[in-house]
Structures are given as structure tokens and as C-alpha cells.
């Protein structure tokens, strides 16, 4: 692709030779002849100078020497667009040898079902990809353009939207964890609900998202979930919310839109987390949170308050010492006072 | 099924038309014509009134209007029984096409081995189900009525009891984490022990339960384990103990009976956790716990003490201020005292 | 194998009948006729006396009664060597029926590819084992003697060294978690980097190690990773470092050599952890750590300081009380002082 074409597609301003042929995107360090790289800001200027890339995407105003450049308003978005320009789009494969597809299954056109995939009596949209070892049970609906990576498990009756990406080993629709004590044993509460995954959701590797007891567990449109996340039965994860690695939820938590949770954070059961809440990594949320709250720690408190407590904590051993000294001084004062009296 | 038959099977009292045909169980919100729903208590009374279910299971004494009802002593148990009444029991499938079963394997009658399952030279009981992508190595014993969901891995030489349920992606019998430093490198300690899973155990999705170094890792009868739980080599999890999502154990921990652990809690190696201990979510246990203890926090302390500390913690910044004020006051008193003297 | 041969191979001193036939290694409790066991130290002396093993490996100087013994300088290493002596080395199987191997794949001699394994257009070394349900994409390199257990997922373009062991269900090379906000939605940043796994690395079950955005995620030679560990894109884990179960990393963390992290610990993004650092279990690291530091807690501080803070924390409720008492005393003194004045 010619550099002028790239400049045009990024909506940027071309500096230098537009006829330059570019065949890939690479980091400043790794780039060589034929690659376009990008510089995110001033602090990469030395790497930029040393880089052997043929051309660069640069943020507006950043000086660009004599190297061929495309100057753009939003460097992050331009970079993503450039990556997309060079992404290979593999041809659809259809049903590959060794794929198990139930006679009652419906698979839309231009889909790719790899050998070793197992698809029950379910409906798959168009341009869906199901990799080897992935399992889709009966009565599922999988939307157009969805990608299901190797060894993903989607149990019976699950709905998955369009353009969803599910990474390797993730299990969707396992039974929720529900038991009732029956004298001498835990008796299983049958989990007959489902899971509904909205459009444009991405779910990382080796996550576990349980089916609801009676109704549905929901991951709503645009939510992005990192690896090894545990979502218990009846939870709702709101639109565009972000869950970092190893986050966990007890049952029936309702998470609003645009919530962000740091890694290894957890939420107790039956709580409501308002829109736009930010939960720091490792936090443990034990009560409802209002829209826009920012919390940290366990039990989670306001982030500002948590910082104050942490600062005080460091001083705690010193405080104990001060307290002892003061007790001594007071005692002395009291003795003197008695003498006076 | 007729409502009077349901009332009989739940051991409840029928109110209304016993000839009513019921074909499923549903939540108050989702229920429609033909469904029976249930009301757990007074606080669901509004949902109950709006519900379009044909009939209801209600706890003793709760008013039931004119709607057809079955009044029961224990609403939770009755509800579970109702769910079981309507659970479909699929016909056994035998060995399905694409299932790999070793010539030396023994599979009991009425078992279902799905295409894509892999079974080594092992012995499976009757009515066992092994889903696609599940792996069972050599020299395993799998008890009657056990269900092994897709992509579960059971390595060589593992014993699994009867009526066990293992959800998707869980790995049982991987090597324990054991190394010895040999001058310049970590040398692997071969892990030649096994794992023994008792009857009626349930294990969630994407867990990891390691084989013992020499002897056995044990999950005893009736223990219920949620998703993404890590159990290291040589651990024993006692009868009917409950481990919530993302719980983790270092090696050689002995957990008693009827222990309950909240999500993301962890236990250090070689500890003994007594019967009936309750460990709060996110707790980190660093010493032995006596039967009946209730602990929280990290390092875990008595739950009551933890609550007191947490309450004090919030006051910590304020305490620092008070301490400063008091120091000032004492100084002033000391100055005055000097003057007096 | 004769006991004298074992003594020779362990570099130990034989006591008793060297012609004794030994056929396995077992724990003191489980050992019987034909087994050799070992005693790690004085505190196992009672188990040692009761053990029915035919022979024992004992540390230098520990009394050995009249039982046949091999006395060694390093009991741990000798025991590992003994285990290795009796480890069975299965014959290579070649391509088993039901294995899917791409026409373009290259598989070295004496490798074993089990039925249900899926190998794309990749290069595998000699004596490699790939178990059922494991997936290896295109353009991977897998070194000699590497073992890939069931249902492991290795995505396209990943390099794995020699003598690497990857336990069941682990996913290597899933997309890193990277999005950029594009007005109303999270837009995915394509992850076009790779993962490089060094020689002699061991990775536990159900881990997730993401591919880099542009360059590479690295697990360097000899690192040992336990179960359910999450390693985000662009991380580097240094030589011989140890990561216990459920450890997690945000993106672009650089971990030095010989670092040790306890279970459930986590590290924030873009940090540098120096060589030989020790991070306690459940710690949350939020800033760079210098070589040799030993930290605990969240946010992680020096281990010694953390112990002091924890000790003070227990006293916190008491401190609050003392503070109140003192305030009262000061008030009293002030009143008296006023009277005096």
C-alpha cells in the first residue's frame, strides 16, 4: 500500500514521498524496510530517531525531521486503523474435515468450522469462526462475525451476539454455584437459566461465566473482559464495562455501563454497581456503589479516603510510639499537678 | 404433570384446582401459562401478584390469594424438588461417532461418550457422561452417574467417585508445583502421587487440582467447589466443605468438614483448617484454625476482631490529627508547669 | 534395580544388603515390599521406624538402625534422582489415529502426537509430546523434548523452547487486552505481537499468557509458573523466576531473574521488578522494586515494615481507647491548670 493511500485512510497529512510502498506495521524498535511505525509522544523521540521504519505516524505538532510521516489528530486511533489496514482477512473455510456439526445445526454462509470443533443443534450466523476443540451445545444462537477460539465451551441454550470474540478455554454456561442444605448434605439447585452475551463483547482466555439459576446472566454490548475472570450466576455486566484479569463476582451482581474494574478485584453477591464506577485492582466491594464512585481497598471505600488511610497506616508504628511517649508525659504532668495540689 | 401430583410429590398442601396441567418451573417474572413459580418470602409479594404463572409454591402461612398454590414447610427444598421433577433425563447415547475409547477401557452400561471425548485405558461406571473434548488418561476410575463436561482434563491414575459433576475446562491431576534448587537451576520433583475425588463432589469450570507428590490430593465426599479454584498438591478438602470462586491453596493444606470459604480467599501451605471454619472472601489464612473459627482479612484474624480493626482504620486519619492536637496541648501544659515551678 | 546400583547413582554410601531388589519409590507411609523411601529429617523418625519400605535414603549423620539405607549429602536432590531412576519413559507413538497434523507441519523424530491433537503449519522438534485436545496454530516453533498436555492452546506464531512442560488447559498467545475509546465504543487494538517461551520453562494448568501488542511477551529460561496464572501482553518473566498459583500481571511488567512471587499476588502495569525480589502471597505491587527487595501487603511495602504495621493494626482498637482516655486526662489537666492560673 502506498503511503499516500495510508495518509488518506487515516485522515492525516502526508509529509514526504507518498509513493513509498508500505507492507506492514511494526514497533519503533522492530520496524525495518517497508514498515510504518508510530510515535505516541515526545518521550519516544530517541527511539523514533533510531528507528529504521520506512515511514511514521506522528501526532499533530510533533516534529518529524525529514522522515516520511503521516501527521494525525488522534495518534491512538490512527495507529489502530493502520493495524486494521494491514490485518490479513483469511478466506472462509466452511466445514473442515474432522469438524462435528449436528445434523440439526444451521451454519450461516462464509463461516469456518475447524476440524475438532463440536457444534450441537444450534444456529450460527454468517462469517462465524469456530476453532478446533471448541464446543457449542444445543439450542445456542451465535451471531454474525463472531470468533470462538480453541477449546472454548458454550453449553446448551446460550445466546452470543455479533462480532463477539471469545478467547481460548473460556467456559460459558456452566452451572451456577447453588446448593441448599438438606439435613446431612448439600443438595444441588438445578440451574435452568441461561447466559446472554451482547454484540461486540470480548472475553479473554480461561474465564468462567455461569448460567443463571432461573433467568439469565448477561454480558451486555461492548463489555470487554480480560483473562481468568469469574462471573457467577445471575450477574449483569453493563454496556462497555471493562473487567481486568482475575476479577471475580459472586452471584446476582448488577454492574452498570462504563464501569472499570482493576485486576483481582471482587464483588460480593447481590450488589448494584452504578454507571461509570471505577474499582481499583484488588479491591473487594461489599456494598452498593453509586454512579461515578471511585473505590479501592477491602472492604472498598472511596479511593481518596483509601489513600489517606494508607498514608496513615505507614505512620502507625510511629503513632504507637508517640502515644506511649504522650502517656508518659501526661503521667508526669498529673504527678506534678498532684504535688501542686 | 397435574398440580395435585406436584403437591403430593412436594409433600405440600394444595390450594385451588388440582387438575391444572403444569409443564415447567420458571421465575416469577418469566413465568407464563403452564409454569409453576415460587415465592421465597414476603418481600417478593409484589412480583408474586404481577406474575403470570399458572400456579405457585408458597411457604407455610404466606397468604396466597385466589391463585392455585402448593403450601410447603421448606420453600427452598420444595423448589429444588420441583425443578428436579421437570428436569429432562436424556437417553444414554453409548459410544458416539468420533469418541476415542482405548481398547483396554471399560465403560459401564448406559453411559454416554460424546464425539471428541478421549478415554484411555480406564474404568468408567454406569450412566457416566463424558462430553466432547474431555480427556481421561490411563488407570482412572470414574464412578457411576458421574458427569464430565466438555474439555475437562483428568490425567492418569485419578479416582473419581459416584455422582460427581466436573464442569468445563477443569484440570485434575496436573503435576504439583515442586522444585529443588540444584546449583544453577530449578530441578523438577517428579509428582508421582494421585488425586482422589469422593462421591457427590461438584467442581466448577476451569479449576486446577494438582496430583500429590507421592501420596494423594483428596476432595472428600460432598465438597462443592466453584469456578477457577486452585488446589495444590497434597491438599485435603473435607466432607461437604464449600469453596467459592477463585479460592486458592498452597500445598499440603488439610481442610476439615463443613468448612466454608468466600471468593478469592487463600490458604498458605501445610496448615490445618478445623471443621466448620468460616473464612471470609479475600481472606488470607497464614496459621492453623481451630474448629468453628470465623476469620477474615489478611493475615486472617477473628472476624469480630477484623470488624473492629476495620472500623478503627476508617478513623485512622482522624486519630493522627487528634494525636497532633494532643501533643500540642501537652507541650503547652508542660510549659505552664515549668513556669509554675 | 539393586540397592547398590541405586547407592552408586545417588553418589551415596550403602548400609546393608546391596543385592536387595528395589522397584519403586514411595512415601514412608505408603511404602511396602520392594519400595525405597526417604526420610527428610529427624522429625519424621517415628514414621521412619514404622515404615515398611525395603530400603531408605537418609541424610548424612541421621541414625539408620539396622534397616538397609543409602546415606547421602543432599537428601532432596538424592530423592529427586531416585524418582527419576524409576520414572517410566514411554515409547514414542508417532502420529496417532485421530491426530490432525497440517500438511505443512514438520514434526521431528520420536515425537508423539495423540488422537484429538490439532497441529497447524508449525515446526515441532524431536521427542515432543502433544496430548489429545491440544491446539497448536500456524507458524509456531516447539523445541525438542517439550510436553504439551491435553487441551493446551498455543495460538499462531508462538515460540516454545526445549524441555518445556505446559499443563492442561493453559492458553498461550491469546490477544492482549487493549482497547482505545472511540467516541461511543471501545475499539480493539489488534494484537500482532507474539509470545516466546524459553527452555526448561514449566507452566501450570489453566494459565493465560497473552501475546504482545506489537513485539513479544517473554517467559525466560527456567521460569516455573503454577496454575491459573495470568500474564498480560508485553510482560517479561526473567530466568528461573517462580510464580505461585493465581498470580496476575497487568501489561508490560518486567520481572528479573530468580524472583519469587507467592500465591494470588499481583503487579500493576509497566513496572520493573529487580532480580531476586521476593513478593509475598496476596501482595499487590504498585511501584518498581529494586533487586533483592522483599515486600508484602497491598500496596506492597517492605516485608519488615509490613510486619510492624500488621502488629500495630491489631492494637488499633486499643489505641483508639487510649487516645480517648488521654484526651480526657489532658482536659482535666487543662482545667486544673486554668484554676491554678
Amino acid at each position: 500500500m502506498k503511503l499516500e493511500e495510508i495518509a488518506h485512510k487515516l485522515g492525516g497529512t502526508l509529509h514526504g514521498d507518498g509513493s513509498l510502498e508500505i507492507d506492514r506495521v511494526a514497533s519503533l524498535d522492530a520496524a525495518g524496510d517497508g514498515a510504518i511505525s508510530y510515535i505516541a509522544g515526545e518521550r519516544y523521540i530517541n527511539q523514533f530517531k533510531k528507528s529504521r521504519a520506512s515511514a511514521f505516524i506522528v501526532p499533530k505538532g510533533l516534529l518529524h525531521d525529514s522522515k516520511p510521516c503521516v501527521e494525525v489528530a488522534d495518534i491512538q486511533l490512527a495507529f489502530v486503523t493502520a493495524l486494521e489496514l494491514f490485518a490479513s482477512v483469511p478466506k472462509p473455510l466452511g466445514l473442515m474435515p474432522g469438524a462435528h456439526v449436528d445434523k440439526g445445526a444451521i451454519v450461516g454462509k462464509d463461516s469456518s468450522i475447524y476440524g475438532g470443533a463440536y457444534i450441537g443443534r444450534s444456529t450460527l450466523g454468517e462469517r462465524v469462526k469456530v476453532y478446533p476443540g471448541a464446543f457449542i451445545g444445543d439450542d445456542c444462537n451465535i451471531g454474525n462475525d463472531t470468533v470462538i477460539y480453541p477449546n472454548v465451551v458454550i453449553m446448551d441454550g446460550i445466546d452470543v451476539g455479533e462480532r463477539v470474540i471469545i478467547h481460548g478455554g473460556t467456559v460459558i454456561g456452566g452451572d451456577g454455584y447453588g446448593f441448599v442444605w438438606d439435613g446431612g448434605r448439600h443438595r444441588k439447585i438445578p440451574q435452568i437459566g441461561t447466559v446472554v452475551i451482547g454484540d461486540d463483547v470480548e472475553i479473554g482466555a480461561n474465564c468462567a461465566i455461569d448460567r443463571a439459576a432461573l433467568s439469565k446472566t448477561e454480558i451486555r454490548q461492548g463489555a470487554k473482559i480480560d483473562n481468568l475472570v469469574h462471573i457467577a450466576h445471575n450477574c449483569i455486566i453493563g454496556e462497555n464495562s471493562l473487567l481486568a484479569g482475575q476479577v471475580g463476582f459472586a452471584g446476582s451482581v448488577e454492574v452498570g455501563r462504563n464501569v472499570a474494574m482493576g485486576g483481582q478485584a471482587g464483588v460480593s453477591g447481590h450488589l448494584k454497581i452504578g454507571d461509570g464506577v471505577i474499582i481499583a485492582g484488588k479491591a473487594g466491594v461489599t456494598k452498593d456503589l453509586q454512579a461515578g464512585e471511585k473505590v479501592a481497598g477491602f472492604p472498598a471505600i472511596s479511593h481518596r479516603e483509601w489513600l489517606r488511610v494508607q498514608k496513615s497506616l505507614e505512620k502507625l508504628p510511629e503513632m504507637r510510639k508517640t502515644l506511649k511517649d504522650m502517656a508518659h508525659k501526661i503521667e508526669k504532668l498529673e504527678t506534678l499537678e498532684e504535688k501542686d495540689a
Side-chain angles (χ1 to χ4, degrees), chain A:
Chain A
M1 199 178 294
K2 290 201 160 46
L3 186 59
E4 63 194 353
E5 192 183 342
I6 295 174
H8 177 73
K9 285 189 169 153
L10 302 187
T13 311
L14 174 68
H15 299 267
D17 178 8
S19 69
L20 210 62
E21 278 292 337
I22 300 295
D23 59 13
R24 68 190 186 281
V25 182
S27 65
L28 289 169
D29 295 348
D33 215 43
I36 190 164
S37 192
Y38 86 117
I39 168 163
E42 291 275 6
R43 66 198 183 99
Y44 298 99
I45 209 85
N46 283 328
Q47 278 171 272
F48 168 65
K49 283 178 178 166
K50 282 187 228 153
S51 176
R52 300 192 303 173
S54 294
F56 300 87
I57 310 170
V58 298
K60 212 154 234 169
L62 200 81
L63 85 172
H64 35 76
D65 289 11
S66 56
K67 295 180 177 184
C69 283
V70 177
E71 201 179 3
V72 298
D74 185 325
I75 187 71
Q76 290 286 356
L77 285 178
F79 173 59
V80 168
T81 303
L83 283 167
E84 289 171 355
L85 287 178
F86 288 97
S88 62
V89 182
K91 280 191 304 186
L93 299 169
L95 300 195
M96 297 289 285
H100 172 107
V101 178
D102 190 274
K103 277 177 298 181
I106 296 166
V107 178
K109 73 178 160 73
D110 293 338
S111 287
S112 304
I113 316 295
Y114 284 81
Y118 186 104
I119 294 169
R121 204 180 50 251
S122 285
T123 302
L124 280 65
E126 303 181 358
R127 296 170 304 281
V128 168
K129 279 186 209 157
V130 183
Y131 278 83
F135 169 88
I136 298 173
D138 293 333
D139 305 313
C140 297
N141 287 294
I142 311 290
N144 295 331
D145 300 293
T146 282
V147 181
I148 296 171
Y149 278 113
N151 294 344
V152 164
V153 173
I154 300 179
M155 299 299 295
D156 292 352
I158 308 298
D159 278 349
V160 177
E162 306 198 341
R163 295 172 305 279
V164 170
I165 300 171
I166 306 176
H167 288 283
T170 280
V171 177
I172 298 176
D175 286 346
Y177 186 76
F179 304 92
V180 53
W181 186 248
D182 183 7
R185 66 184 183 111
H186 299 292
R187 199 159 142 201
K188 182 178 176 70
I189 303 174
Q191 304 287 306
I192 64 168
T194 185
V195 182
V196 176
I197 311 274
D199 297 338
D200 300 299
V201 165
E202 182 162 347
I203 302 172
N206 283 335
C207 293
I209 302 177
D210 283 351
R211 65 191 320 114
L214 279 177
S215 52
K216 59 187 176 183
T217 303
E218 285 182 74
I219 314 294
R220 293 192 176 154
Q221 177 162 1
K224 307 293 184 186
I225 298 176
D226 202 348
N227 301 327
L228 290 160
V229 168
H230 162 61
I231 298 179
H233 52 181
N234 300 69
C235 285
I236 298 171
I237 307 298
E239 286 84 350
N240 294 322
S241 285
L242 301 173
L243 311 179
Q246 298 176 319
V247 156
F249 292 89
S252 302
V253 175
E254 289 184 33
V255 174
R257 296 156 174 257
N258 301 311
V259 168
M261 286 180 69
Q264 300 183 332
V267 181
S268 299
H270 297 270
L271 299 183
K272 282 192 207 314
I273 310 296
D275 294 345
V277 162
I278 296 175
I279 298 171
K282 277 199 177 282
V285 178
T286 57
K287 51 189 182 191
D288 291 349
L289 296 175
Q290 301 307 308
E293 282 195 70
K294 203 174 158 180
V295 301
F298 175 63
I301 54 177
S302 108
H303 191 254
R304 188 181 305 168
E305 189 59 25
W306 182 78
L307 286 175
R308 283 182 62 207
V309 169
Q310 290 309 318
K311 212 175 148 186
S312 300
L313 259 181
E314 288 171 31
K315 306 290 184 197
L316 197 52
E318 189 190 302
M319 280 171 70
R320 269 181 82 194
K321 207 180 153 290
T322 309
L323 212 54
K324 255 185 210 163
D325 291 352
M326 279 168 52
H328 189 71
K329 284 179 183 173
I330 289 173
E331 209 177 322
K332 210 166 150 187
L333 284 166
E334 284 173 336
T335 317
L336 289 169
E337 199 52 61
E338 266 170 51
K339 271 193 215 152
D340 288 0

